[in-house]
Amino acid sequence: MLARWACDPRHSRGRRHPEAPAFDRTDHQRDRDRIVHCTAFRRLVYKTQVFINHEGDLFRTRLTHSLEVAQLSRSVARRLQLSEDLVEAIALAHDLGHTPFGHAGQDALQQCMQDHGGFEHNLQSLRVVDTLEQRYPGFDGLNLCFETREGILKHCSRKNAQRLEAIEPGGVGRRFLDGGQPSLEAQIVNLADAMAYSAHDIDDGLRSGLLTIEMLDEVPLFLRLRRAVQQDHPDLAGRAGRREVFEVLRRMLSQQVHDLVQTTEAVLTAADPDDVDALRALPPLAKFSAAMAEDTALLGRFLFKALYRHPQVEGSTWRARQVVAELYAAYLAEPTEMPADFADCADGPRAVADYIAGMTDRFALREHQRLTGRSIFGTHS
Ligand code: MG
């Protein structure tokens, strides 16, 4: 029961290496299964989203974040009659290219690679599924469908889009040159990504003590929902525990999902695209109402200021950047410190970036200590 603008797995633009269809699964299900079984997916469990992994076991990692994005994406996709399996595949793969230590690692690697073609985490996620995973006898990568790869490549610089276009004419780089949009499934995952991290970063921020409820009351959406929860559950007031926060976050996500579905339905009805290709030529159709977009933007700005720029997070950020920059310099000077696959690669800087990007936080810390003799975070031996 797919809408006519949905990605129908029977009409995929196909895989780069042609394969016979599976007898028991659609191409979207098959992509999702390939992603779940790949090595980069398992590494997400030890990669930081915001907090350094060793600071506590209950904080989100990139793996739990990806699962939350998949859950929200599926809920929205089902209600809009889109391909649930495709949104799940895109969501589970969307962060595969992330370096250790969250954005700190990405920024550091970007700086190291600035004269060697740069480093973009979205492009790196595509590189993981197109090239770096080595599991199949006939090809490198996972050989995913065009639609999954299109969704994974959320952003791409013009220069990199031109490079992709040269290798794969009319492929996933094209829309960044022509100004087109990806499928509605991909648009939904992008919004679900932001919904997921805003909600879980509130939870993790409170759990860590870096945020307080009083600080969050600055955020109109949070305050409004908290007042409503208190009205519905006066017994929660003053009781120890975090149920009030969970209830606020639960309502926040439900309202966002509902708003996104309703607004997008109305936009789709007005635009009435014939099929997914017609939809790709239109402006983005997946959106929140103006009021919810404003609420969500205010929440995002609050988190940026209060949490992502918190001195304690910044302190970890600074040290994480140092680990990545020093690892990069060490491997570039002595490539044989890397496994043979990487050491033998003709493009030295790219091989070093690929190797570091694939590391978990704790592996990066161990390697850093092994190569420099110093323990920057002090708790990882
Ligand atoms: Mg994400």
Side-chain angles (χ1 to χ4, degrees):
M1 285 301 289
L2 292 176
R4 71 171 182 281
W5 43 74
C7 285
D8 185 331
R10 293 166 305 178
H11 305 302
S12 167
R13 287 199 199 168
R15 303 176 187 278
R16 293 196 305 161
H17 308 278
E19 289 183 69
F23 73 93
D24 56 347
R25 291 173 295 171
T26 69
D27 276 331
H28 295 167
Q29 290 173 319
R30 202 178 193 187
D31 279 9
R32 187 261 330 273
D33 298 347
R34 286 181 179 192
I35 291 158
V36 168
H37 287 281
C38 82
T39 308
F41 184 70
R42 284 193 298 285
R43 289 192 180 125
L44 294 177
V45 72
Y46 294 116
K47 287 197 183 202
T48 301
Q49 184 75 19
V50 174
F51 297 95
I52 298 299
N53 200 283
H54 69 246
E55 287 186 4
D57 287 347
L58 288 177
F59 295 117
R60 265 64 173 194
T61 69
R62 291 226 175 256
L63 181 67
T64 56
H65 163 71
S66 300
L67 295 173
E68 291 178 38
V69 177
Q71 181 276 317
L72 292 168
S73 301
R74 282 195 75 115
S75 290
V76 175
R78 174 171 295 218
R79 287 175 59 186
L80 291 174
Q81 291 180 287
L82 304 175
S83 170
E84 283 184 62
D85 296 316
L86 178 59
V87 296
E88 187 176 16
I90 297 170
L92 295 179
H94 86 284
D95 272 353
L96 289 180
H98 265 286
T99 60
F101 313 123
H103 287 284
Q106 133 102 6
D107 292 347
L109 209 47
Q110 169 61 42
Q111 209 161 28
C112 296
M113 289 294 286
Q114 63 186 351
D115 296 330
H116 308 285
F119 181 88
E120 295 174 22
H121 64 85
N122 287 297
L123 192 62
Q124 190 69 13
S125 296
L126 186 69
R127 201 168 150 70
V128 167
V129 300
D130 277 0
T131 310
L132 296 176
E133 282 288 325
Q134 300 188 339
R135 321 179 63 80
Y136 294 88
F139 45 78
D140 284 343
L142 305 178
N143 198 30
L144 303 180
C145 294
F146 172 88
E147 292 75 15
T148 310
R149 298 173 57 240
E150 170 193 45
I152 290 171
L153 193 62
K154 179 161 68 170
H155 301 294
C156 184
S157 66
R158 193 166 176 85
K159 209 194 280 176
N160 282 323
Q162 283 163 342
R163 281 188 200 126
L164 286 172
E165 179 66 15
I167 305 164
E168 185 193 357
V172 292
R174 189 58 167 269
R175 74 182 162 93
F176 299 98
L177 304 172
D178 294 350
Q181 298 300 319
S183 69
L184 200 54
E185 281 84 349
Q187 296 180 34
I188 294 296
V189 177
N190 288 346
L191 292 168
D193 186 16
M195 280 192 271
Y197 67 66
S198 297
H200 64 53
D201 289 348
I202 291 177
D203 184 23
D204 284 353
L206 288 168
R207 189 185 298 282
S208 67
L210 300 184
L211 297 182
T212 62
I213 295 275
E214 291 69 32
M215 290 163 78
L216 276 155
D217 282 346
E218 259 181 55
V219 181
L221 178 63
F222 187 89
L223 181 61
R224 229 168 36 236
L225 289 168
R226 196 158 84 89
R227 293 234 167 99
V229 169
Q230 286 170 341
Q231 204 157 39
D232 295 344
H233 301 282
D235 54 314
L236 281 180
R239 265 171 58 187
R242 302 167 38 77
R243 287 182 205 226
E244 183 183 278
V245 171
F246 291 142
E247 182 59 18
V248 169
L249 295 180
R250 182 178 299 121
R251 290 183 187 200
M252 187 172 97
L253 288 172
S254 312
Q255 286 191 5
Q256 286 177 321
V257 165
H258 187 64
D259 183 281
L260 175 59
V261 168
Q262 285 207 311
T263 310
T264 304
E265 257 170 358
V267 174
L268 281 164
T269 306
D272 200 25
D274 282 336
D275 55 24
V276 60
D277 284 326
L279 179 142
R280 284 183 174 111
L282 296 169
L285 299 188
K287 50 178 69 170
F288 291 120
S289 64
M292 184 58 88
E294 171 68 7
D295 269 337
T296 304
L298 287 172
L299 171 58
R301 280 204 285 279
F302 167 83
L303 284 172
F304 185 82
K305 172 177 61 114
L307 186 61
Y308 310 145
R309 289 285 172 266
H310 189 287
Q312 196 175 316
V313 173
E314 293 257 84
S316 296
T317 296
W318 184 81
R319 287 182 292 172
R321 289 176 71 115
Q322 205 181 343
V323 170
V324 168
E326 290 179 6
L327 278 177
Y328 181 86
Y331 292 128
L332 205 60
E334 199 43 79
T336 55
E337 294 290 350
M338 298 187 291
D341 287 5
F342 294 92
D344 297 344
C345 185
D347 183 346
R350 183 59 56 194
V352 172
D354 285 340
Y355 186 50
I356 294 174
M359 291 180 178
T360 62
D361 293 13
R362 60 185 190 174
F363 183 75
L365 292 174
R366 260 189 245 129
E367 276 292 278
H368 181 265
Q369 188 168 26
R370 181 179 75 80
L371 293 165
T372 67
R374 287 179 299 117
S375 160
I376 283 198
F377 284 91
T379 57
H380 55 272
S381 48

